[in-house]
Amino acid sequence: HGFGALMDCRVKLEIAYIEMLYKQGLIGIIFWLAILISLVFSYMRLAGNMRDKAEPYMLSVFFVYVQSATNPFLTNPIGMSMILVSIVVVHTLGQQCESEIK
């Protein structure tokens, strides 16, 4: 139905995934799942010490995705900023891990 579409005279829903499905369709759901999957794969490639440093960020990402089942947390600035910070941290730790191997 597109962004800005009203859902039963409401602009937002409490369940972020239903709102994504209604407004963005499967493309929106796949987009947010792709971010989670790529972050998990990046985390799994980290070595032991680097993985320990990235663990709090991964746990916070999982919290954002779980919390979005009852609140619109994922698509709000609070949730998006936590996910973006986690992406940067895991990517930077991955680059440090690769430079130590070389």
Side-chain angles (χ1 to χ4, degrees):
H1 296 274
F3 294 109
L6 294 178
M7 296 165 284
D8 196 26
C9 299
R10 294 169 55 176
V11 178
K12 300 288 269 176
L13 283 178
E14 290 297 316
I15 302 171
Y17 302 116
I18 292 177
E19 182 178 349
M20 279 184 235
L21 189 62
Y22 184 80
K23 291 185 176 184
Q24 302 170 18
L26 285 176
I27 295 173
I29 297 287
I30 291 169
F31 172 78
W32 289 103
L33 282 177
I35 290 175
L36 178 64
I37 290 169
S38 69
L39 195 55
V40 168
F41 281 136
S42 296
Y43 173 75
M44 296 305 288
R45 284 188 285 153
L46 294 176
N49 186 25
M50 297 296 182
R51 189 178 287 184
D52 291 341
K53 291 178 183 179
E55 186 175 356
Y57 295 98
M58 288 304 297
L59 290 175
S60 64
V61 166
F62 290 133
F63 174 76
V64 167
Y65 274 85
V66 169
Q67 183 71 18
S68 294
T70 59
N71 290 317
F73 206 63
L74 183 62
T75 56
N76 281 346
I78 296 171
M80 284 196 289
S81 63
M82 191 66 242
I83 290 175
L84 291 174
V85 166
S86 298
I87 289 170
V88 170
V89 167
V90 171
H91 180 72
T92 304
L93 289 174
Q95 286 180 338
Q96 287 178 0
C97 188
E98 289 175 5
S99 67
E100 286 179 4
I101 293 173
K102 292 179 183 180

